[in-house]
Structure formats: C-alpha cells, structure tokens
Amino acid sequence: MPATTASVPSEVRPGRRPAARAVGITRTYGAGSALVTALDNVSVDFLAGEFTAVMGPSGSGKSTLMHCMAALDAPTSGHVVLGDVTLDGLDDKALTKLRRDKVGFVFQAYNLVPTLTAQENVELPMSIAGRRAEPSWFDTVISAVGLGDRLKHRPTELSGGQQQRVAAGRALLSRPEVVFADEPTGNLDSSAGAEILRFLRRSVDEFGQTIVMVTHDPVAAAYTDRVVFLADGRIVDEMRDPTSQRVLEKMSQLSEHPPAQPAPPVPTPED
Amino acid sequence: MWTVTLRNLLARKIRLALSAFAIVLGVAFVAGSFIFTDSLGNAFDGIVGGTTADVEIIPKGAGEVDQFGIDARTIPASVVDDLRKLPGAAKVSGTAQVQGVYVIGKDGKLVGGNGPPGLALNYGGMTSINGDPILTLADGALPTGPGQVALDVAAADKAGYLVGDQVTLVTPGDPPTMKAELVGLVNFGSEGGLVGATLTIFDEQWIQDLFFEGRDVYTSISMTTADGVSQTELRDAARTVVPAGVEVSTGDDFAAKTKQGIAKILGFINTFLLVFAAVAMVVGTFLIVNTFGILVAQRSRELALLRALGASRRQVNRSVLAEAFVVGLLGSTIGIGLGYVLAIGLKALFGVIGLDLGAAGMELQLRTVVVSYVVGVVVTMLAAYLPARRAGRVPPIEAMNEHAAVPESSLRRRLLTGGGLVVAGVALMGVGFTQDGNTSLSLIGAGMLAILVGVSLAAAVIGRPVISGLGAVYRRTSGTVGVLATENSLRNPRRTAATASALMVGLTLVTLMSILGQSAKASTDKAIEESLTAELVVSNATGQFFSPAYAREIRQVDGVASVLPIRVANAKLGDSTAYLEATDPRALGSAIRLPVIAGALGSLTDDTVLIRESTASSRHLAVGDQVTLTFPAGPRKFTIAGIYPSAGGAINNDFLMTLGGLTKSGIQPQDSLLFITKDPGASEATVRAAIDKILADNPTVTLKNQREFADEQKGLIDTFLYIIYALLGLAVVIAVLGITNTLALSVIERTREIGLLRAVGMGRRQLRSMIRLESTAIAVLGALLGVALGIVFGVVLQRAIAEQGIDVLAIPWVRLAVFVVLAAGIGVLAAVFPARRAARLDVLKAITTE
Ligand SMILES: Nc1ncnc2c1ncn2[C@@H]1O[C@H](COP(=O)(O)OP(=O)(O)OP(=O)(O)O)[C@@H](O)[C@H]1O
Ligand SMILES: [Mg+2]
C-alpha cells in the first residue's frame, strides 16, 4: 500500500494548526415539509499539511461540506475558518479574494476553461489576481504533474487524466491554505486516478500542502492520512492511516446500519 | 411534438423575449410607416373632400399636385355669370387663389412655412361634397375690402394674433410683405385640420388687385348642384358654357384625382420609411438566425434525445419552425402595437417641423395588420429555417454524447460562398459603371447587396485577424480577463460574425451616407467657389419661392452692379420629369461662370434651352435638336442652343432657359435665388445694410455672402443626413440588441465555466469587464467591417453619381473614427445586461449546473 508507507501518522507531528475548521455548521435547503438538512451541526478540523478524505454514502453531505469549507456556499449556522480568517459575514468581494488566494479546487469534471491552454489554466487564479508564480515553483508544479510537453494544448486536446492533472496543478500553484478536491478521480480509470492521487500525496509530503478530498473509492482513501465519515449530514466516524480494506469495511457498515443517533463531535488532535 | 414546442417556448421566456425583440422593432417600423402615411393620407383626404364642391372648373392641366412652379393661368369672371344661368346650378362661386402667402407671427417668425403651403383666397361660401360648408366664420367678420384679412383659427393661434390685430404677411407678389387688419377667424370644414397649411382670406376685389393685376379673373370656379341634379348632369351642362382650355370635372372625379396625386407623394414618404424598415428587418434577420442557431445548438442534446425517442427529422425540424412561428406571431403583434406608438411619435415630429396633422386619428388599416404579420412571421420563419434544418440533422446518437454538437456548415464553404458573392458584386458594380442612369444605379446597388451578404458570410473568417488584433490590445490592458474575452469571441466564429454583421449593415449605410453627405458638401463648396462670382446671394432658407419685387428693389440699391434671378420649375419630358432653371442670360456672366461645352450662351432665347451634359447624353440630345417640354399650360417646343457641364457649376438642373421662356410656358414669375454682384468700389457692408433693409420684414428670405450661402446649402445636407442617421439608428439599435442577445445566450451557455472562473477567484467586476470586452470586440468588429465597406460603397457611389453634381469625393475620416469609437461604446452598453446577469450568478449553482 503506497498510502500507508508514505504517510506519517499525525500524532507524531506535534503542534499542527488546523488549516481549515468547521465549527458546528448546519446547512439546510428548502423549508417546511421540504426541509432538507444536508449538514447537521458538523464540527471538524483539517490540519495543515495533512491529506484528509471525506467519505460517506451518496447524499450524506460531503459535497455540501466541501462547498461550505471552500467559501463557495455559506452554512445556515455555524462558522467556517480558513487559515486565520473566519468566513462569517464576508462579502462577495472578500470571499472571491479568499478563494483566489487561500483555496485550491479540483472538481470531478469541467475543471478547465476550454478557451485557455493548459498553462494558462494552471496560471489562471494567479493571473486573475494579477500575479505571476515564481518560475522555479511553476516548474516544480508542472514537472510534478508531468505536463511539461502539454502546456500549449487546449483542454479538448487533453485526456481526462491530463485534464485533472492540469486542474491539480492549478490548485497548487498559488500555494493555497487548503486544496479541496471533490471526487477528483471519479471520472478516471484506475491508472489515471492513481496518477492524480500520487501527485496529491506528493504535494502533501514534499510541499506541505493541506488537501481535503471527497471520494467514494476506498483505494483512493488509502492514499490519505485520515478519513472522515459522513452519514446523513453528520460526522459519524474517522479513521487515521486508513487502508482500503478497513475503509471498505467501514463503508459497508455505514450503508447497512445508518446511525440512529447523532455521533459525538469528532475529536481532533488539538482538542 | 406540439407540447414539446410549447414547453420549450415557455421554458425559455427570456431567450424568447430577446429574439422576439428584433421582430418587434422591425415590424414596428413597417407598421409605423404604414400607419403614419395612412393617417397622413386620411388628413389630406379630409382636406380634399372638404374643399371640393360638386363641380370644379380649372384651367386644363392645372391642379397637378407634384407641379413645381406655379401655374399662372386664370379663368375670366364672365364664365361665372354664364354658369349661373345654368338651371342645374344652385350656387356658383369663383375663387382667386394665390400660393405663397405666409403669416408672420407676433414673434417675427413664419407660421408653418417649412413645406405646407400658405394659401390666400377670397371667401366663396361654398359647400363641399362632404356636405359641410368649406369655411365657416368662427370669430369676427369676413373681409369686405382692402386692408382686411381673415385667418384660419390654427394659423392665428400659432401666430399669436387676435381679431383686431395688424397681421404681417409675406406674399409672392408686389409688395413682397404687407400688413392688414385681422377682421375674423375661419374654421376649415374638415376635422383633419389643414396639415399645417395656412389660410388667409381676402376680399375678392382686393386679392385680384394684389395678385392678378386687377383683372376680374379666378383660378378656379366651384358649383353646387340644385336639388335633383347630379354632379354629372351639372358637369355636362357646364361643359357647354366654358371656354376652351378650361376643364370641368365632377367633385367626385376631381377629389379622386387630387387624392391620387397626393397618394403618389405620400407613397414616396412611405417607400422612404419602408426602405429603413427593410434595413431594420434585414438586421433583425441576422439576429433571429443567430438566436435560433444558438438555441438549437444549446438544445442539441435534447433534440437528439427526441430523435432517439423516435421523432423524425422532419418533426424536429418542424418543432423548431413552429417555435419560430410563435415567436414571429408574438413579435408581430407587439410590433404592430409599437408601430402605432411610433406613428404617433412621427406625427408629433412632423408637427414640430410644421406639418400639423391636427386631430386626425391614427389609421390602422387591415392591410397594415396583414402586411405586418406576414413580414414578421415570414422573416422569422425564413431566418429560423437554416437552424431548423440543422436541428433536424442532429444524429440521435448525440443524445448519449456529453458534448453534443449540432453539425454546422464548414467555415471553408462559407468563405467560398461569401467570396463568390463578393466577386459577383464587384462584377455587377463594374457592369453598372458601363451603363447610365437608373440601370447603372440598380446594378451598383445589387452589387453592393451581394458584397454585403458575401462579407457577412465570410465575416467568420475575415473577422478572426481583427479580433486577434484587438486581443493583443486587450492582453496588454486587461491581462487574463482580456485574454478570456478574446478567446470567447473567437470560440464561436459564426456567432460572433453574425452578431457583428448586424451592426456592420447599419454602419455600412451610415458610413455610405456620411461619405455622400460630405462629398455633397465639398461639391457645394467647390461649385460655389469656382463658379460663383457674385459676392452676395439672396435665398429662402425654406426653399419657397419669393416675390420678384425683391430683385427689382435690390437693383435700385447704390453699389449693386447686377442682380441675377434664378427660377426653378419642372416639366414633363416624355414620361419623366425634367427640372428646369431659368435666368437672365445677359446678366449671367456677371454672377456665374458657366463654361458652355457646345453651342453658345449667347444663343439662349425665350425659345431655346441649354441642356446639362449628362441629360443630353442620357436623352440622346445634341445642339440643334428640338425638345418638347410639357407644362401645366401645355407643351412647348425648344431648340437646344448649348450644353453645359454636368458637375461643378452653380447651374445643375436638366435645362437652363430664360426667365421669359419660363413665363411664356405659363409659370408664374417667382424667384428662388438672387445672385448679386456689387460695384467694385462699393463697400460690402453698406450694400448689405441696404439690402437687409429691403428684406427686413421677411424672416425667411435673407441675404448672405458666398460663405454663408455655402453654409446654408450645407446645412440642408446636414439636416437630411441627420434624418437618415436617425432612421438608420433603429437598425443600429437592433444590432445592439443582437449583441446583448448573443451575449446573454452565451452567458447561459457558459454558466458552468463562469462558475468555475468565479470559484478560482475571478471577482464580479472582472467578470463584468470580461463580458464587456467580449461585447466591445464584437461591436468593434462590426463597426470596422461596416466602415470599411461603407467607404468602398461610398467611393463607388460618389463616382457613379459624380455627374449629378456630387463631383468631389470627401471622406469624413474624423466622423468615421467617431463611429468606431461609438460602436465600442455601444458594445459596452450592450454588455450591461448580460454582464450583470453573469455577475449575479450564484457561484455554487453555476458550477453545479448540468
Ligand atoms: N441545492 C440543493 N437544494 C436542495 N437540496 C440539496 C441541494 N444540494 C444538496 N441538497 C441535498 O443535500 C443533501 C446532501 O447533498 P450533497 O450533494 O452534499 O451529498 P453528497 O454526499 O455529495 O452526495 P454524492 O456522493 O451523491 O455526491 C442531499 O440530500 C441533497 O439532496
Ligand atoms: Mg457530492
């Protein structure tokens, strides 16, 4: 298992600060009888320099959590903290700036602007901000995602895996506080998926990047340091140094026996 | 399929509204043109009906509505006495009518004047064929002797006169201005008002003394029938009494003929307006083709699904056409409503320039409704046909495809077709230059049309370098946002091209007209500078004739060496109209340089004419030939005594004749221009002061020097140009809507991408500026193409009509540059709505849309 060998248990990294925190966030949609509670009083910390997986059955609120954490959506109640900024009451301008400077994204699909070349896509958040990446850092990221010879290509000329690598490169280039990835390998075959996952793993290990990834795939989860399990909008469990076997067991258990009671808040190392 | 069509329409309310808008505006223009001219026609019909008695008697051939130059013939008063003896006549009354009598208001300004006639006549007390008295006394009394007049209520009101006031009048006779006491006000029988015309009622004896040298004559005689006598019976009876050269018609015939003549003139107005309506429709067509193209492209997956579910190609095709039908129907309905409003606006506008339609209501005829619907629906369906056919060709398999695409015609084919059309257009123009007259202009016009269509087809390809060039500027000024904007306008070349083409059409015409206008002005300058030696000019700013008394009085001024009057008129030459100028050949040389090409100026007598070179060649006439010019009073033969050049001179009509020749042809002596040469030693200021004093009472006839005269002439060109600009403005408005439409649809289409851009940190302002830049790129592309084509067309057309007096080519570069800058501004404006929409998109929703 590459994940277990490459990862270092978080307990042995003392003094880690959280790069992103959710403090008792609830997100509901609709009202009255149509009320849907996508997130139900969720508190969770994502530690700096750690690779975290968020897992759970379909509809459990993973994407919602991700969107709230990434300043794309606002929780109905509760607080989200990114780095040292609390998101409460920030206006669109501030949120935009936050997304640009502190957050990186990798979506499942449609990650790239079709009219821009791979390189332009990678540089997009920085160029929007009117900044340029350090050339040496740019080279490092590009060689890490292995896109050296594809920089001048447009997304339509790239394979799905290559497109996701461009997206991953884009997410990393501005050295954001956190990279959020929502099923980044969902549309890829296993070898292309593995490439992305290895890249994400490397950026955590070598560059100290913080990454939060939603996935359905136990194999993907095994690349991470920690898995947080969601069910019905609540965090029901978490697992350190996951292996695909243990994750698979946990997942099948979750889908067979949905928890009747709210789970206690997940303890984090700092608590 | 019908339910699908309906659902689609409802689900896309905004898109529907946007695409219907083009139709609305186009149809509004068509409907507005018809409604306006119909109402105008109605008003005139009312006047005609309200002024015509049961039987009307006039000199033969008089009463042509489009006659330019006033018929001088009269009927002796004794004829009235003879007619009174007829048993079938209940009432007979002679009218001595004079045109060109205007009222000067209390503010010193002319009432009406800018087109509508100023009529002076004696009161006849007749009843019209409508059964109403033609005139009724509203206030005071009718004039009973010299020094008294009555005015129509509207004119008195505008002039600010009350009964008892002293009224100042401008007359075509002698003296040219006079004062009279206002003794009464009359109401005109027709409810339509007088369409801005002013009526001044004189005592019969006095009007004959003033304008008919005291002869007891009339210009027309009206009769009413006795009980039980028909119009025809009375007419036939009257025919046995009247002298030769006098024509008797029943009131009905007379009114019908007059209405016909008026309808012909109104037809010109209608055609003129409809030309612009057509331009608007053409531009609208681009819009609709584009909108439906985009809608079909966006729905390709859904269409493929329908096909996969078993809908036939024809069904899919028809569902799109059905959608177009509904859009056309809806757009036409709203368009007719808007047209009504537009017509009211036009009425108000014409009211401002003096053509008062009074209380005449707006006339919505069935014909207008039918034409509007046909135009609106047919244009929409035609425009939707190509996209519909493409929709039918979406293969069912595309339903499974993530990036379903509607097959599109290849750019190569478009470029080839477009190029072919351009070549054909150039060829047509080339042939046009070998022909003359109308054939030449038609061929050149057809060539222009072919080139316009060709360029709009090829615009997808030839626009690319333009956008790329703009892109380089954008990159420098706006960085990534600029790059994105450029790439967006390049990603769908057909769409960008079609949108830009709509603007191109408008700007081509605007540029063309600007060049012609500028050239006309430059030609005026040149003609005046090169051929006018007279230092001073007397002219009437409104283009009306004025009393020849002025020329006589100015000749008496100390320091004036010569006064050269110019008179204008028209006559029939064969089936067409020839325009004539008359002057005094002996005084000509002192005021004008007229380089006679063949023959001699000296041989111009009352029975000879000089002919313009271009008229001579198109009519195949040479020195020594005879021409017959037909005037209201009858035909007259002239021998051609010489030929003068077509362009660049002060004399620029078909024929030049003597003043006497024109008077002998039965046209009243009235001047249009006076060219005044002063003695070499005389002070200009003194001479001017003396002449100004003579003209002081008449606000429209003024004295100017060469430069002021040129400015006045150029002012007329400008006025015309501004009217054209205003009318073409509508096409530009539609084109702007087209840009808005395309961008709004693109924003919808790119929702996800916009979400992504926002997610990775693009601010709202940046997003808005991205869309603005894209819009500006389209607008500038359209403007550049339009201005470029307009320059080409302008140069070609100027060359083609150089013979008709526009012999100097002048291109208003600054103005054209302003157009391009304005177009960029238009782009910014067009982007407001789509940009706001894009900026308001919820980031999360956008990024998660399907
Ligand atoms: N915009 C919305 N309006 C209403 N309900 C929503 C909306 N977005 C999400 N939900 C509901 O919130 C719940 C959580 O949705 P979410 O997308 O977070 O689930 P998920 O865990 O990401 O599922 P999946 O694994 O299928 O992606 C679901 O019940 C969903 O129906
Ligand atoms: Mg999800």
Side-chain angles (χ1 to χ4, degrees), chain B residues 100-156:
Chain B
V101 175
Y102 291 98
V103 180
I104 308 289
K106 272 205 164 142
D107 54 3
K109 292 205 179 98
L110 197 78
V111 175
N114 235 335
L119 302 178
L121 59 159
N122 56 313
Y123 177 79
M126 296 300 285
T127 305
S128 74
I129 46 175
N130 294 352
D132 303 319
I134 293 174
L135 291 172
T136 50
L137 191 65
D139 193 10
L142 289 166
T144 50
Q148 297 182 343
V149 292
L151 287 177
D152 73 278
V153 174

XYZ file of all heavy atoms in Angstrom, chain B residues 100-156:
379
model
N -48.217 80.826 -51.556
C -47.008 81.522 -51.106
C -47.322 82.757 -50.285
O -46.507 83.653 -50.172
N -48.531 82.798 -49.720
C -48.856 83.887 -48.794
C -48.704 83.339 -47.379
O -49.434 82.436 -46.978
C -50.284 84.415 -49.020
C -50.631 85.461 -47.970
C -50.409 84.994 -50.421
N -47.728 83.846 -46.666
C -47.445 83.302 -45.334
C -47.683 84.351 -44.274
O -47.559 85.548 -44.521
C -45.996 82.810 -45.249
C -45.766 81.591 -46.096
C -45.217 81.685 -47.363
C -46.147 80.321 -45.626
C -45.035 80.571 -48.155
C -45.973 79.207 -46.407
C -45.415 79.328 -47.669
O -45.249 78.223 -48.429
N -48.010 83.843 -43.114
C -48.280 84.730 -41.992
C -47.024 84.829 -41.144
O -46.402 83.822 -40.816
C -49.442 84.164 -41.137
C -49.742 85.077 -39.963
C -50.672 83.938 -41.999
N -46.638 86.054 -40.827
C -45.528 86.241 -39.903
C -46.129 86.434 -38.511
O -46.978 87.293 -38.309
C -44.704 87.499 -40.256
C -44.290 87.496 -41.726
C -43.494 87.624 -39.328
C -43.254 86.497 -42.085
N -45.681 85.597 -37.590
C -46.245 85.649 -36.249
C -45.806 86.877 -35.482
O -44.970 87.652 -35.946
N -46.400 87.040 -34.308
C -46.048 88.188 -33.468
C -44.579 88.163 -33.081
O -43.961 89.183 -32.827
C -46.904 88.178 -32.199
C -48.214 88.902 -32.398
C -48.761 89.422 -31.083
C -49.832 90.457 -31.306
N -50.930 90.352 -30.348
N -44.018 86.926 -33.043
C -42.613 86.780 -32.670
C -41.690 87.018 -33.857
O -40.485 86.813 -33.770
C -42.376 85.372 -32.101
C -42.844 84.290 -33.053
O -43.297 84.636 -34.172
O -42.745 83.104 -32.703
N -42.259 87.428 -35.006
C -41.435 87.678 -36.176
C -41.084 86.422 -36.947
O -40.334 86.464 -37.916
N -41.613 85.275 -36.530
C -41.297 84.032 -37.239
C -42.439 83.635 -38.172
O -43.601 83.954 -37.924
C -41.083 82.902 -36.227
C -39.829 83.085 -35.398
C -39.338 81.725 -34.891
C -38.083 81.863 -34.077
N -38.341 81.871 -32.642
N -42.050 82.923 -39.223
C -43.015 82.450 -40.201
C -43.873 81.347 -39.572
O -43.361 80.466 -38.896
C -42.239 81.882 -41.389
C -43.008 81.691 -42.678
C -43.162 83.034 -43.373
C -42.253 80.731 -43.572
N -45.179 81.390 -39.824
C -46.054 80.314 -39.341
C -46.090 79.217 -40.397
O -46.329 79.487 -41.563
C -47.480 80.843 -39.074
C -48.403 79.699 -38.687
C -47.442 81.907 -37.995
N -45.877 77.965 -39.960
C -45.825 76.853 -40.931
C -44.613 77.055 -41.807
O -43.510 77.196 -41.319
N -44.834 77.094 -43.093
C -43.766 77.533 -43.979
C -42.825 76.456 -44.457
O -42.432 76.447 -45.596
N -42.465 75.510 -43.571
C -41.455 74.533 -43.954
C -42.033 73.396 -44.778
O -41.886 72.241 -44.455
C -40.807 73.961 -42.694
C -39.317 74.127 -42.755
O -38.756 74.224 -43.842
N -38.683 74.161 -41.600
N -42.727 73.726 -45.833
C -43.299 72.659 -46.647
C -44.778 72.867 -46.922
O -45.173 72.976 -48.072
N -45.617 72.946 -45.875
C -47.048 73.127 -46.139
C -47.302 74.468 -46.807
O -46.615 75.439 -46.524
C -47.694 73.096 -44.746
C -46.628 72.804 -43.781
C -45.319 72.883 -44.449
N -48.269 74.485 -47.679
C -48.495 75.722 -48.435
C -49.143 76.815 -47.611
O -49.829 76.555 -46.629
C -49.438 75.272 -49.552
C -50.110 74.052 -49.030
C -49.154 73.403 -48.075
N -48.905 78.046 -48.032
C -49.594 79.203 -47.464
C -50.556 79.713 -48.534
O -50.128 80.187 -49.573
N -51.837 79.536 -48.299
C -52.820 79.843 -49.336
C -53.555 81.135 -49.012
O -53.927 81.381 -47.867
C -53.839 78.704 -49.453
C -53.264 77.328 -49.768
C -54.381 76.293 -49.798
C -52.523 77.348 -51.094
N -53.779 81.927 -50.067
C -54.600 83.120 -49.913
C -55.735 83.006 -50.910
O -55.518 82.606 -52.052
C -53.778 84.371 -50.195
N -56.955 83.307 -50.488
C -58.087 83.207 -51.395
C -59.229 84.090 -50.914
O -59.221 84.553 -49.778
C -58.546 81.757 -51.552
C -58.984 80.989 -50.318
C -59.864 79.819 -50.710
C -57.793 80.460 -49.546
N -60.180 84.278 -51.814
C -61.384 85.003 -51.428
C -62.386 84.008 -50.873
O -62.333 82.818 -51.188
C -61.954 85.747 -52.629
C -62.230 84.804 -53.779
O -61.378 83.987 -54.111
N -63.395 84.909 -54.378
N -63.324 84.492 -50.049
C -64.312 83.614 -49.451
C -65.422 83.345 -50.453
O -66.000 84.266 -51.027
C -64.874 84.263 -48.192
C -65.961 83.466 -47.534
C -65.626 82.360 -46.743
C -67.306 83.800 -47.686
C -66.616 81.611 -46.134
C -68.301 83.055 -47.075
C -67.954 81.959 -46.299
O -68.929 81.218 -45.698
N -65.737 82.051 -50.693
C -66.734 81.716 -51.705
C -68.063 81.283 -51.119
O -69.076 81.269 -51.811
N -68.061 80.890 -49.855
C -69.301 80.459 -49.207
C -69.859 79.169 -49.754
O -71.068 78.942 -49.754
N -68.982 78.290 -50.266
C -69.447 77.060 -50.894
C -69.572 75.917 -49.884
O -69.010 75.947 -48.796
C -68.489 76.629 -52.000
C -68.406 77.596 -53.154
S -69.989 77.836 -53.972
C -70.099 76.295 -54.862
N -70.313 74.898 -50.334
C -70.464 73.673 -49.556
C -69.685 72.578 -50.267
O -69.685 72.501 -51.491
C -71.949 73.285 -49.470
O -72.662 74.397 -48.956
C -72.139 72.085 -48.569
N -69.010 71.729 -49.500
C -68.167 70.706 -50.120
C -68.970 69.460 -50.438
O -70.124 69.330 -50.022
C -67.029 70.337 -49.175
O -67.523 69.544 -48.127
N -68.361 68.529 -51.161
C -69.055 67.272 -51.480
C -69.329 66.476 -50.208
O -70.130 65.562 -50.204
C -68.257 66.395 -52.491
C -66.787 66.314 -52.086
C -68.407 66.896 -53.896
C -65.978 65.376 -52.954
N -68.642 66.798 -49.129
C -68.928 66.142 -47.846
C -70.222 66.680 -47.241
O -70.707 66.147 -46.245
C -67.800 66.372 -46.844
C -66.520 65.690 -47.287
O -66.536 64.935 -48.247
N -65.432 65.961 -46.583
N -70.739 67.773 -47.813
C -71.986 68.332 -47.314
C -71.796 69.440 -46.295
O -72.757 70.044 -45.832
N -70.534 69.703 -45.907
C -70.280 70.757 -44.924
C -69.863 72.028 -45.656
O -69.313 71.962 -46.754
C -69.132 70.360 -43.988
C -69.415 69.050 -43.297
O -70.570 68.856 -42.879
O -68.479 68.220 -43.195
N -70.101 73.166 -45.038
C -69.533 74.381 -45.627
C -68.013 74.269 -45.620
O -67.431 73.728 -44.671
C -70.008 75.500 -44.701
C -70.587 74.849 -43.498
C -70.831 73.408 -43.802
N -67.381 74.719 -46.683
C -65.922 74.602 -46.761
C -65.276 75.448 -45.678
O -64.344 75.026 -45.016
C -65.437 75.007 -48.173
C -65.941 73.963 -49.181
C -63.920 75.124 -48.219
C -65.662 74.286 -50.619
N -65.807 76.649 -45.504
C -65.287 77.516 -44.442
C -66.448 78.058 -43.624
O -67.503 78.373 -44.179
C -64.514 78.691 -45.049
C -63.191 78.373 -45.737
C -62.668 79.628 -46.436
C -62.165 77.859 -44.744
N -66.249 78.130 -42.326
C -67.253 78.790 -41.505
C -66.558 79.872 -40.683
O -65.397 79.719 -40.294
C -67.929 77.804 -40.537
O -66.911 77.072 -39.858
C -68.839 76.837 -41.256
N -67.285 80.924 -40.431
C -66.726 82.025 -39.664
C -66.754 81.659 -38.183
O -67.786 81.282 -37.642
C -67.564 83.284 -39.925
C -66.970 84.583 -39.405
C -65.674 84.899 -40.143
C -67.971 85.709 -39.566
N -65.581 81.719 -37.546
C -65.518 81.352 -36.131
C -65.590 82.584 -35.234
O -66.067 82.518 -34.109
C -64.241 80.582 -35.851
N -65.082 83.688 -35.748
C -64.991 84.871 -34.901
C -64.910 86.087 -35.811
O -64.409 86.002 -36.936
C -63.736 84.769 -34.024
C -63.751 85.801 -32.898
O -64.810 86.450 -32.706
O -62.712 85.950 -32.226
N -65.384 87.219 -35.379
C -65.273 88.456 -36.140
C -66.115 88.414 -37.403
O -67.192 87.825 -37.434
N -65.566 88.976 -38.477
C -66.317 89.072 -39.723
C -65.415 88.719 -40.894
O -64.202 88.619 -40.744
C -66.845 90.485 -39.893
N -66.031 88.542 -42.054
C -65.240 88.278 -43.249
C -64.719 89.602 -43.791
O -65.352 90.645 -43.598
C -66.119 87.598 -44.290
C -66.483 86.159 -43.929
C -67.619 85.657 -44.813
C -65.257 85.246 -44.078
N -63.565 89.581 -44.478
C -63.026 90.834 -45.033
C -63.953 91.376 -46.109
O -64.484 90.611 -46.909
C -61.672 90.418 -45.615
C -61.705 88.941 -45.713
C -62.679 88.444 -44.707
N -64.155 92.662 -46.114
C -65.066 93.241 -47.088
C -64.377 94.258 -47.979
O -65.005 94.840 -48.843
C -66.239 93.942 -46.373
O -65.693 94.809 -45.365
C -67.171 92.941 -45.737
N -63.103 94.491 -47.780
C -62.429 95.449 -48.627
C -60.936 95.389 -48.426
O -60.438 94.528 -47.706
N -60.212 96.277 -49.084
C -58.752 96.285 -48.971
C -58.313 96.501 -47.526
O -59.030 97.107 -46.734
C -58.323 97.458 -49.845
C -59.535 97.962 -50.520
C -60.736 97.343 -49.923
N -57.146 95.945 -47.203
C -56.592 96.140 -45.868
C -57.166 95.217 -44.818
O -56.803 95.307 -43.659
N -58.051 94.293 -45.213
C -58.650 93.382 -44.235
C -58.374 91.938 -44.622
O -58.417 91.588 -45.800
C -60.166 93.577 -44.188
C -60.581 94.948 -43.723
C -62.095 95.039 -43.646
O -62.809 94.210 -44.223
N -62.585 96.031 -42.931
N -58.096 91.115 -43.647
C -57.972 89.670 -43.908
C -58.619 88.894 -42.769
O -58.801 89.407 -41.669
C -56.504 89.193 -44.034
C -55.841 89.729 -45.277
C -55.705 89.538 -42.789
N -58.932 87.645 -43.077
C -59.306 86.685 -42.024
C -58.297 85.552 -42.089
O -57.725 85.274 -43.149
C -60.716 86.158 -42.250
N -58.039 84.920 -40.949
C -57.082 83.801 -40.922
C -57.790 82.555 -40.411
O -58.803 82.653 -39.716
C -55.929 84.113 -39.955
C -54.906 85.141 -40.386
C -53.891 85.350 -39.265
C -54.197 84.692 -41.661
N -57.217 81.406 -40.740
C -57.777 80.205 -40.137
C -57.375 80.184 -38.660
O -56.328 80.730 -38.281
C -57.352 78.937 -40.876
C -55.922 78.576 -40.643
O -55.059 79.156 -41.316
O -55.656 77.706 -39.782
N -58.216 79.555 -37.847
C -58.062 79.627 -36.397
C -56.673 79.147 -35.956
O -56.010 79.788 -35.137
C -59.170 78.797 -35.711
C -58.934 78.743 -34.208
C -60.537 79.390 -36.016
N -56.222 78.014 -36.555
C -54.942 77.437 -36.126
C -53.785 78.379 -36.427
O -52.890 78.560 -35.599
C -54.726 76.091 -36.815
N -53.813 78.977 -37.617
C -52.720 79.877 -38.001
C -52.684 81.093 -37.081
O -51.617 81.494 -36.606
C -52.868 80.303 -39.457
N -53.864 81.669 -36.836
C -53.929 82.844 -35.971
C -53.424 82.493 -34.576
O -52.690 83.259 -33.944
C -55.361 83.353 -35.898
